[in-house]
Amino acid sequence: MNRVAFIGLGNMGAPMAANLLKAGYALRVFDLNASAVAAAVAAGAVAATSAIDAVADAQIVISMLPASRHVEGLYLGDDGLLAHIPDGVLVIDCSTIAPASAKKVAAAAAQRGLAMIDAPVSGGTAGASAGTLTFIVGGDASVLERARPVLAAMGKNIFHVGDSGAGQVAKLCNNMALGVIMAVTGEALALGSAHGLDPAVLSRMMAVSTGRSWATEVCNPWPGVLENAPSSRGYSGGFGNDLMLKDLGLAAEAAMQVGAPIPLGELARNLYAINSQAGNGGLDFSSVLKVMTKAV
Amino acid sequence: MNRVAFIGLGNMGAPMAANLLKAGYALRVFDLNASAVAAAVAAGAVAATSAIDAVADAQIVISMLPASRHVEGLYLGDDGLLAHIPDGVLVIDCSTIAPASAKKVAAAAAQRGLAMIDAPVSGGTAGASAGTLTFIVGGDASVLERARPVLAAMGKNIFHVGDSGAGQVAKLCNNMALGVIMAVTGEALALGSAHGLDPAVLSRMMAVSTGRSWATEVCNPWPGVLENAPSSRGYSGGFGNDLMLKDLGLAAEAAMQVGAPIPLGELARNLYAINSQAGNGGLDFSSVLKVMTKAV
Amino acid sequence: MNRVAFIGLGNMGAPMAANLLKAGYALRVFDLNASAVAAAVAAGAVAATSAIDAVADAQIVISMLPASRHVEGLYLGDDGLLAHIPDGVLVIDCSTIAPASAKKVAAAAAQRGLAMIDAPVSGGTAGASAGTLTFIVGGDASVLERARPVLAAMGKNIFHVGDSGAGQVAKLCNNMALGVIMAVTGEALALGSAHGLDPAVLSRMMAVSTGRSWATEVCNPWPGVLENAPSSRGYSGGFGNDLMLKDLGLAAEAAMQVGAPIPLGELARNLYAINSQAGNGGLDFSSVLKVMTKAV
Amino acid sequence: MNRVAFIGLGNMGAPMAANLLKAGYALRVFDLNASAVAAAVAAGAVAATSAIDAVADAQIVISMLPASRHVEGLYLGDDGLLAHIPDGVLVIDCSTIAPASAKKVAAAAAQRGLAMIDAPVSGGTAGASAGTLTFIVGGDASVLERARPVLAAMGKNIFHVGDSGAGQVAKLCNNMALGVIMAVTGEALALGSAHGLDPAVLSRMMAVSTGRSWATEVCNPWPGVLENAPSSRGYSGGFGNDLMLKDLGLAAEAAMQVGAPIPLGELARNLYAINSQAGNGGLDFSSVLKVMTKAV
C-alpha cells in the first residue's frame, strides 16, 4: 500500500501530499494548477496528465477538493474516476463537502465494489504542514483500518464518527461551533474594549475560565494578543472568512435537511456574510471582529 | 487581617465562607436565611444580628449577593453599610452585578475613604466548594494586593482586569461567551444526532478539535456524555438557566451603554428566555439544548 | 386557448382549477390523489390517466406542485412531460420552488421550443378559492401576455418581475418578509401582553401605525383579535408553519447562492423550526407566537 | 384650557408647538436651545426663562424630551417641576421613554394630586409638521378625555392603550415591529437585487402582497423607489438610525423586565448598532440596508 494517487494540491492538499512524500509514499499527483504540480514534483512526486492517469497504477486514491460539485464531478458520471479506479483500491476523500454529496459518491463507489471513506480534516493549513491534522472519518470501520497508516502520515488524531457521510456531518458540527465561538469571542473583546478593558488582559482571563476556546487559546481575533495568530499579521494566512462562510452554509443545508434549529449557527453565517460584503472575504475568519468594532 | 464580615450565604456564599473558616479566618456572618446562618455557625462562624452588626469589628467585608439592587441596597443610602464600616476596612464585593452599579458603589466607598474592589467569580458552586474559584477583579492594584490572601483562601486564579467595575465587565464578557458556546454546542450535538451520529462520539471529537470548549470538556449538554455533568442528572445542580439569563441581560445592558453590537450574545439571551418560558428556568443552563431538540 | 391540462390538485391547485372551470375553460386534470380528481370531475373536469395523458390535447399546461423535486420530476428526464407536450403549448408552473430549479426547467422547455413562465402565487388557500391570487411571474413578457387571460381567471393581480426564475425569487423575498413580520408581530403582542396591555387594543393601534402589516390587518397571531384569522380557530386552516419553514429554507438557499446576508430571515426560519419541533408544524404559521409566550 | 406650557422644542416638539399655536393655544415655551425658542416666539409663543417659569400660569403642561433621564430630571426631585406645577393642571408627557420611568413619574404626579398621561407619538417629524401624529396614551381614561382637544390639535389618531406607562409599552412594541420590518424589507430587496431583480418592481409587488408594510408603502429603503422616501435623498431627514437604536434598546429593557423573548427585535437592534458603528448613525434608519449590500 505504497502507491498513492493524490488529486487536488491546493492550500491544504499540497502540504498533505508533501508529508506523504516525506513518509516514503510514492505519489502520482494531479491538479489543474501547473505550479502546484511542479512544486510537488520537486518534492518527489510524479506528475499525472489527468486524474484518470493518476489512478492507473494506484493502491490508494486521495482527493482534496474545494466543494461538493468538484468531488461529484471528479468521481461520478460516465467519465468519472470511479469508472477508472482499479479494483481493490482504497478511496479517501478529504474534502469538506455536503453530507448528501459524500453519501452519494460513497454509494456509487460501493456499487463499483470500491471501499471508500469520507475523511474531512480539522487543523487548517498549519496543521496540514505540521502533519498534525485531525481526520474525521465516516465509513466502515474496516476500511478506516486500512486507511489508518496513510492518514497517520498526515495527521495526529483520527476519529471514526459513523457511516458514510458522518465524517462530513461531524466536521460541519465542529466548524459551526467554531464559527460561532470565534464571532462571540470577538463580541466579548469588543464589548470589554469599549468599556476600557485591555483585550489582552481580558483574553488571558477568559482563556483560563469557562469562556475559553480555541479562539482565546490559539487564534485570538484581537490584533497583538497572540503573536502567532492571523489577527496579529493583518488577518492573513489562516482559515479564510469565505471558507467559514462556505462551511456554515453547508451546516445550514444539513440542518434544513433534518429540520434541526441552528439559530446561532445561521446568525453567525450571516455575520461572516456581512464581513464578506465589507470586502474581508479573503482575510482570516477571525476578522469577523471587524463587524463588531471599528477599533481593529 | 483575620476578622471578616461575610454578607450573603447563598449557594455561592456559603461554601466560600466555609473555605475561609477552614483557612483560619474569624467570620461574623449575616443572611436573611436562618438555616444558612446556622450552618455557618456550626462550621465555626459567629452569627451577626444584622449586616451592620456583622461589620462592627471587621477588618475585611465580603458580600456575595444576587443582583445590583441588593448590593446597592446593602451599601448605599443613609442606612447603608458604607456609613457603618469602620475606617481602614477593606471591602470586597463578589456579586455579579451591572458594571454601572459596581462603579456607583465603589465611588461611594471612595468618598467614605474606604478601599473597595469588585471581585465577581467564575467556577460555579463546584468551584466555590473546592476553593478553586477564579476572581475577576476591578479596582486599584494596591487594594487587590491587600485582598489577595483572603481571595486565595477561596479561589485558585486571580485576575486584575482594570479599574472599579472592570471586574464586572470582564465577568459578563466571559459569561456571554459561555452562554453562546453552550447553546451552539447544543445546536451542533442536536444537528449531528438528527443525522444519526452518536452525540458522545461527536463530543469526543469536538473536545479535541477547534470546536472545543468548557461545554465539550466539562459540562456537556447531552445527557450521558459526561457522567458528572448536570445534563447527566436531569440538568440539576449546576448554573441555572435563569442565572445565565440574568448575566446575558447584564451583558446586553452593558453593550447598550457603549453602543457595542453583540448579536450572538443577545440571540443566546433569547434562547435562554425561550427555555425559561418552557418551564426550564430552574434547570442547569445546558438545558437550553431542549430548545433545539425533543430528544433530551 | 381553452383547453387546459392541470397537474396538481392540492390545497391550492384544487380551488384554482375550480375557478378555471367556472370561467369556462375545459380541463383535463391529473393528481395522485383520487378523491381530489373526483372532486374536480364533479365540477366539470375530465380525469386524465397520467400527466402525459393530460397534456395530449392541451393548449395550456398548468402545474401546481409541492416542491422543486416534484416539478423537476414532472417535466425533466427522458420520461418527462417536456418530451410529450405538443408544440406551441404554453406552460405555466405555479409551484413555489427554488429559483435554480425554475431556471433549469425553463431552460429545458426553451430547448424544446416551448414557451414557459414561472408564476408562483401569493394569497393562500383563501385567495385561491376567491380567485384573488397574486401571480408573480418570471419569463418573457410576450409569454406572460399569452398567459394573462388564464391567470386572470384565477387571480386579481399579476406582476411581471423579470426573466425565468425571477417569479420564484420575488415570491421568496415577499414570503421571507412575511415570515419575519408575522414573528415580530408575535413578539410585540407577547411583550405588550406581559406588560398588562390588551393584545386587541395594541393590535388596533399598530394596525394604523408604522408597525402595521398583513399580520396586524388580516392574520393577527393573537387568538380572538381578528375573528376570521386562523389564530381565532386554533391556528387551523391557514398557511402552515412547515410551509413557511420551507419557503424560508428556499430563501436561505437563494441567499447563499449570491452571498446576500439575510440575518432576520434566517433567524425567523429557526423560530419556525423551533415551533415545528414543538409539534406545531401543521398549524398556521402565526402559531410561531407560541415560541414567545405560554399565554396562547 | 387654553394656556399651555410646552417644554422641549426639538425636531418633534417644535412643529407640535407650532400646530398648537395655529390652533389658537397660548404657549409659554422652554428649551435650552435659544434659536428653537426664538423660532417658537416668532410663531406667537412666549419665551419662559425656565421650565418652572413656563408652568407658573399653565392649565396644561406638555413635555417632549429625548430620553428617560431628561424626563425624570425635569419632573422629579426637590427642584423638579412636579413641585411647582399648580394644582389642577393637566400633565402630558409625549417623550418616548422607558415604561418604568413613565410609571415612576406618573406615580409621583399622582402623589402630588396631579393628573398625568404618557402620550408618546408615532408619525415622525413629517407627522408632527402635518399635525397627523398618532398619540399612544397610557393613564386614566378620564384624564385622556380632558387631554383629547389639545392632542387633536397636534395629531389625527389617539389610542388609549392602558394605565400609566402603557403608552410607552405600546409605542415600543410598534417601533420594535417597525425596526424589524424595515430591516427585513432591506434584506428582501438586497436579495432580489443580487438575483438580478429590479428593486422598484419587487417593491411594487410586495407593496400589494402579504409582505407589505410602511417600509414598502411609504419609506422604501432602496434609493429611487419612492421619490419622497429618505433613501431617495441620501437617507437624510427621516427617523434617525440611532433613534431606532434607542427605541429597540428600550424594547429590550422592557422585555428583560418581564422575561419576554424578542429574538428578532434584539437581532434588529444589533443590525442598527452595526450600521451605527459603520458611521451611519445620523442617517435615516432605513439606511440599515447598507449592512446587507454595498449596492446602496
Side-chain angles (χ1 to χ4, degrees):
Chain A
M1 295 277 283
N2 185 53
R3 299 191 305 275
V4 175
F6 202 106
I7 321 284
L9 299 167
N11 291 336
M12 293 296 293
M16 290 166 69
N19 279 323
L20 288 183
L21 289 166
K22 275 186 225 157
Y25 285 88
L27 261 64
R28 288 177 72 86
V29 301
F30 180 72
D31 195 290
L32 294 174
N33 180 336
S35 67
V37 173
V41 168
V46 172
T49 57
S50 68
I52 291 172
D53 176 46
V55 305
D57 192 35
Q59 294 166 309
I60 302 173
V61 174
I62 299 177
S63 52
M64 187 56 163
L65 298 172
S68 299
R69 68 179 183 282
H70 306 105
V71 174
E72 293 194 29
L74 175 69
Y75 286 108
L76 303 181
D78 296 343
D79 266 356
L81 215 53
L82 289 180
H84 298 274
I85 295 175
D87 288 347
V89 168
L90 171 64
V91 184
I92 304 171
D93 180 45
C94 295
S95 319
T96 293
I97 62 174
S101 281
K103 283 182 193 172
K104 193 173 165 186
V105 176
Q111 210 160 16
R112 242 304 313 277
L114 293 170
M116 179 167 189
I117 55 175
D118 48 300
V121 302
S122 171
T125 52
S129 297
T132 58
L133 291 171
T134 295
F135 288 94
I136 308 166
V137 179
D140 277 359
S142 61
V143 181
L144 167 56
E145 286 319 304
R146 288 173 58 199
R148 195 174 287 276
V150 74
L151 296 180
M154 299 182 287
K156 206 173 58 173
N157 292 301
I158 299 172
F159 282 94
H160 184 221
V161 291
D163 295 335
S164 286
Q168 299 297 346
V169 172
K171 168 77 189 285
L172 295 179
C173 287
N174 181 74
N175 278 23
M176 178 176 78
L178 173 60
V180 169
I181 290 171
M182 179 58 78
V184 76
T185 301
E187 289 182 11
L189 297 182
L191 174 59
S193 173
H195 274 275
L197 275 70
D198 179 344
V201 172
L202 179 53
S203 294
R204 273 199 294 278
M205 184 277 287
M206 287 177 64
V208 295
S209 301
T210 47
R212 72 173 177 268
S213 68
W214 187 79
T216 56
E217 294 162 14
V218 178
C219 187
N220 195 294
W222 200 281
V225 172
L226 294 179
E227 207 182 320
N228 293 320
S231 60
S232 296
R233 49 174 193 264
Y235 296 101
S236 69
F239 182 63
N241 183 87
D242 284 358
L243 291 174
M244 178 51 83
L245 185 55
K246 171 205 156 194
D247 284 4
L248 289 170
L250 290 173
E253 285 174 10
M256 288 179 209
Q257 219 181 318
V258 293
I262 52 164
L264 292 163
E266 289 197 50
L267 176 53
R269 197 192 80 71
N270 280 283
L271 297 175
Y272 290 101
I274 288 170
N275 197 37
S276 192
Q277 291 262 6
N280 303 322
L283 299 183
D284 183 70
F285 78 116
S286 62
S287 67
V288 72
L289 173 58
K290 290 173 179 287
V291 176
M292 315 302 167
T293 178
K294 294 297 140 187
V296 302
Chain B
M1 295 277 284
N2 184 54
R3 297 191 307 277
V4 175
F6 202 105
I7 321 283
L9 298 168
N11 291 336
M12 293 297 292
M16 291 166 68
N19 279 322
L20 288 182
L21 289 165
K22 274 185 225 156
Y25 284 88
L27 262 64
R28 286 178 73 87
V29 300
F30 180 70
D31 195 290
L32 293 175
N33 181 335
S35 67
V37 172
V41 168
V46 171
T49 57
S50 69
I52 292 172
D53 176 46
V55 304
D57 192 35
Q59 294 166 307
I60 302 174
V61 174
I62 298 177
S63 53
M64 187 56 163
L65 297 172
S68 299
R69 69 178 183 281
H70 306 105
V71 175
E72 293 195 29
L74 175 68
Y75 287 108
L76 303 181
D78 296 342
D79 267 357
L81 215 53
L82 289 180
H84 298 276
I85 296 174
D87 287 347
V89 168
L90 171 64
V91 185
I92 304 171
D93 179 45
C94 295
S95 319
T96 293
I97 61 175
S101 280
K103 284 182 193 172
K104 192 172 167 186
V105 175
Q111 210 160 17
R112 242 305 312 278
L114 293 170
M116 179 168 187
I117 56 174
D118 47 298
V121 303
S122 171
T125 53
S129 297
T132 57
L133 290 171
T134 295
F135 288 94
I136 308 166
V137 179
D140 276 0
S142 62
V143 180
L144 167 56
E145 286 320 304
R146 288 173 59 199
R148 195 175 288 275
V150 73
L151 296 181
M154 298 182 287
K156 204 174 57 173
N157 292 300
I158 299 172
F159 283 93
H160 185 220
V161 291
D163 295 335
S164 285
Q168 299 297 347
V169 172
K171 167 77 188 285
L172 295 179
C173 288
N174 180 75
N175 278 22
M176 179 176 77
L178 172 60
V180 169
I181 290 171
M182 179 58 77
V184 76
T185 301
E187 289 182 11
L189 297 182
L191 174 58
S193 173
H195 274 276
L197 274 70
D198 178 343
V201 172
L202 179 54
S203 294
R204 273 199 294 278
M205 184 278 287
M206 287 177 64
V208 296
S209 301
T210 48
R212 72 174 178 268
S213 67
W214 187 79
T216 56
E217 294 164 14
V218 178
C219 187
N220 195 295
W222 200 281
V225 172
L226 293 180
E227 205 182 323
N228 292 321
S231 60
S232 297
R233 48 175 193 263
Y235 296 101
S236 69
F239 182 62
N241 182 88
D242 284 357
L243 291 174
M244 178 52 83
L245 185 55
K246 171 205 158 195
D247 284 5
L248 290 169
L250 290 172
E253 284 175 9
M256 289 179 208
Q257 221 181 317
V258 293
I262 52 164
L264 292 163
E266 289 197 48
L267 176 52
R269 197 192 79 71
N270 280 283
L271 297 175
Y272 290 100
I274 288 170
N275 197 37
S276 192
Q277 291 261 7
N280 303 322
L283 300 183
D284 183 70
F285 78 117
S286 62
S287 67
V288 72
L289 173 57
K290 290 173 180 287
V291 176
M292 316 303 166
T293 178
K294 294 296 141 189
V296 301
Chain C
M1 294 278 283
N2 184 56
R3 298 192 306 276
V4 175
F6 202 105
I7 321 282
L9 298 167
N11 290 336
M12 294 296 293
M16 291 165 70
N19 280 322
L20 289 183
L21 289 166
K22 274 186 226 158
Y25 284 87
L27 262 64
R28 287 178 71 87
V29 301
F30 181 70
D31 195 289
L32 294 173
N33 181 335
S35 67
V37 172
V41 168
V46 172
T49 58
S50 69
I52 291 172
D53 176 47
V55 304
D57 191 33
Q59 293 164 309
I60 301 174
V61 174
I62 298 177
S63 53
M64 187 55 163
L65 298 173
S68 299
R69 68 178 183 283
H70 307 104
V71 175
E72 293 195 27
L74 175 68
Y75 287 107
L76 304 181
D78 295 344
D79 267 356
L81 215 52
L82 290 181
H84 298 275
I85 295 175
D87 287 349
V89 168
L90 170 65
V91 185
I92 303 171
D93 180 44
C94 294
S95 320
T96 293
I97 62 175
S101 281
K103 284 183 193 171
K104 193 172 165 186
V105 175
Q111 211 160 16
R112 242 304 311 278
L114 293 169
M116 179 168 189
I117 56 174
D118 48 299
V121 303
S122 171
T125 51
S129 296
T132 58
L133 291 172
T134 295
F135 288 93
I136 309 165
V137 178
D140 277 0
S142 62
V143 180
L144 168 55
E145 287 319 304
R146 288 174 58 200
R148 196 175 287 274
V150 74
L151 296 181
M154 298 182 287
K156 203 174 57 174
N157 293 300
I158 299 173
F159 282 93
H160 184 220
V161 292
D163 295 335
S164 285
Q168 299 297 346
V169 172
K171 167 77 187 284
L172 296 178
C173 288
N174 181 74
N175 278 22
M176 179 176 77
L178 172 60
V180 168
I181 290 170
M182 179 58 77
V184 76
T185 301
E187 290 182 10
L189 297 182
L191 174 58
S193 173
H195 275 276
L197 274 69
D198 178 343
V201 172
L202 180 53
S203 294
R204 271 198 294 277
M205 184 276 289
M206 287 177 65
V208 295
S209 302
T210 49
R212 72 172 177 269
S213 67
W214 187 80
T216 56
E217 293 163 14
V218 178
C219 187
N220 195 294
W222 199 282
V225 172
L226 293 180
E227 206 183 321
N228 293 321
S231 60
S232 296
R233 48 174 192 263
Y235 295 101
S236 69
F239 182 62
N241 182 87
D242 285 357
L243 291 175
M244 178 51 83
L245 185 55
K246 170 206 159 195
D247 283 4
L248 289 169
L250 290 173
E253 284 174 11
M256 289 179 208
Q257 220 181 317
V258 293
I262 51 163
L264 292 163
E266 290 197 48
L267 176 51
R269 198 193 78 72
N270 280 282
L271 297 175
Y272 291 100
I274 288 171
N275 197 37
S276 192
Q277 290 262 5
N280 303 322
L283 299 184
D284 183 70
F285 78 117
S286 63
S287 67
V288 71
L289 173 58
K290 291 173 179 286
V291 176
M292 315 303 165
T293 178
K294 294 295 140 191
V296 301
Chain D
M1 294 279 283
N2 184 55
R3 299 192 304 277
V4 175
F6 202 106
I7 321 282
L9 299 166
N11 291 336
M12 293 296 293
M16 290 166 68
N19 280 323
L20 289 183
L21 289 166
K22 274 185 226 159
Y25 285 88
L27 262 63
R28 287 178 71 88
V29 302
F30 181 70
D31 195 290
L32 294 173
N33 181 335
S35 67
V37 172
V41 167
V46 171
T49 57
S50 68
I52 291 172
D53 176 47
V55 305
D57 192 34
Q59 294 165 309
I60 301 174
V61 175
I62 298 178
S63 53
M64 188 57 164
L65 298 172
S68 299
R69 68 178 183 282
H70 306 104
V71 175
E72 293 194 28
L74 175 68
Y75 286 108
L76 305 180
D78 296 343
D79 267 357
L81 215 53
L82 290 180
H84 297 276
I85 296 175
D87 287 348
V89 168
L90 171 65
V91 185
I92 304 171
D93 180 44
C94 295
S95 320
T96 293
I97 62 175
S101 281
K103 284 183 193 170
K104 193 173 164 185
V105 175
Q111 210 160 19
R112 241 306 310 280
L114 292 169
M116 179 168 189
I117 55 174
D118 47 300
V121 303
S122 172
T125 52
S129 296
T132 57
L133 290 172
T134 295
F135 289 94
I136 309 165
V137 179
D140 277 359
S142 61
V143 181
L144 167 55
E145 286 319 304
R146 288 174 59 200
R148 196 175 287 275
V150 74
L151 296 181
M154 298 182 287
K156 205 174 57 174
N157 293 300
I158 299 173
F159 281 94
H160 184 223
V161 292
D163 295 335
S164 285
Q168 299 297 345
V169 172
K171 167 78 188 284
L172 295 178
C173 288
N174 181 74
N175 279 23
M176 178 176 78
L178 172 60
V180 169
I181 290 170
M182 179 58 78
V184 76
T185 301
E187 290 182 10
L189 297 182
L191 174 58
S193 174
H195 275 275
L197 275 69
D198 179 344
V201 172
L202 179 54
S203 294
R204 272 199 295 277
M205 184 276 289
M206 287 176 65
V208 295
S209 302
T210 49
R212 71 173 178 268
S213 68
W214 188 80
T216 55
E217 294 162 14
V218 178
C219 187
N220 195 293
W222 200 281
V225 172
L226 294 180
E227 207 183 319
N228 292 320
S231 60
S232 296
R233 48 174 192 263
Y235 296 101
S236 69
F239 182 61
N241 183 87
D242 285 357
L243 290 175
M244 178 50 84
L245 185 55
K246 170 205 157 193
D247 283 5
L248 289 169
L250 290 173
E253 285 174 9
M256 288 180 209
Q257 218 181 318
V258 294
I262 52 163
L264 293 163
E266 289 198 48
L267 176 52
R269 198 193 78 73
N270 280 282
L271 297 176
Y272 290 100
I274 288 170
N275 197 38
S276 192
Q277 291 262 4
N280 303 323
L283 298 183
D284 182 70
F285 78 117
S286 63
S287 67
V288 71
L289 172 58
K290 290 173 178 286
V291 176
M292 316 302 166
T293 177
K294 294 297 139 187
V296 301

